[in-house]
Amino acid sequence: MIEFRNVSKVYDTGTEAVHNANFTINKGDFAFLVGSSGSGKSTLIKILSGLFREYEGEIYIGGRSIRDISTKSLYKMFSVVFQDINLLAYTVGENITGSSGKSDEKKVWSALERAGVKEKISHTEKGLNQLVHKYMDEKGLEFSGGESQKLAIARALYKDAPFYILDEPTASLDALAEKEIYEKFEKITDNRTTVFISHRLANVTGADNIYVLESGNVAECGTHEELLDRHGVYEKLWNAQQELESFGKETA
Ligand code: ADP
């Protein structure tokens, strides 16, 4: 269980990105943090995963304040897929394991398979030793946005941490590819606590709990149906996006 108690964060610029946030994410839940751009989603996640260690209030994981957990240990607890996917000019294997040291090849292939990118790698001449990017070596392989995202997901799966966090992992994908990633991830996370951050609501309907952020605080939380019944912020966001989607279909 992850508990946020009166959490606030003011950046050096004076911007208060998170304001007195109070909410609990249940163990094993597939949770969504939604809200418009600038509502504080990324900041909250960066505090939780140990990237920012200066904040007000407390965050407890299993009853223990994360102030008492070292940054290194926090990094180990979270498999995070951030928005900006950076594939490095190393081999595919090193991109997945994050090191050039000894790695578990079987586990790497299993992660690639679950992320849906195994076939592409197995068809290369060098498999896991295939170099990524051409700027170091002309035999290097370039990956599309969607494939890079799948590799980043494979990296998170290989890490095998107790918590998954996905910060807009599908931002550069089209709607169909995005749906595929959501569905895949829902199946492969083995009931581990997973927090998906998204400003698109199309895929949140199956979430155990949706947390709606507004001005750095959780304005509402509940399932998709519960939130629609409340006729509040979530319903407004939902209706606005539905309208945009049908407008897109009409003009396509
Ligand atoms: P979201 O993920 O919901 O888009 P963010 O947490 O990124 O929201 O941002 C919340 C607020 O904090 C915004 O006003 C944003 O401009 C500001 N902010 C985010 N990162 C920084 C930073 N590193 N320095 C200063 N302000 C920031």
Side-chain angles (χ1 to χ4, degrees), residues 11 13 15 17 36-43:
Y11 283 108
T13 53
T15 305
S36 47
S37 184
S39 58
K41 305 181 292 294
S42 294
T43 305

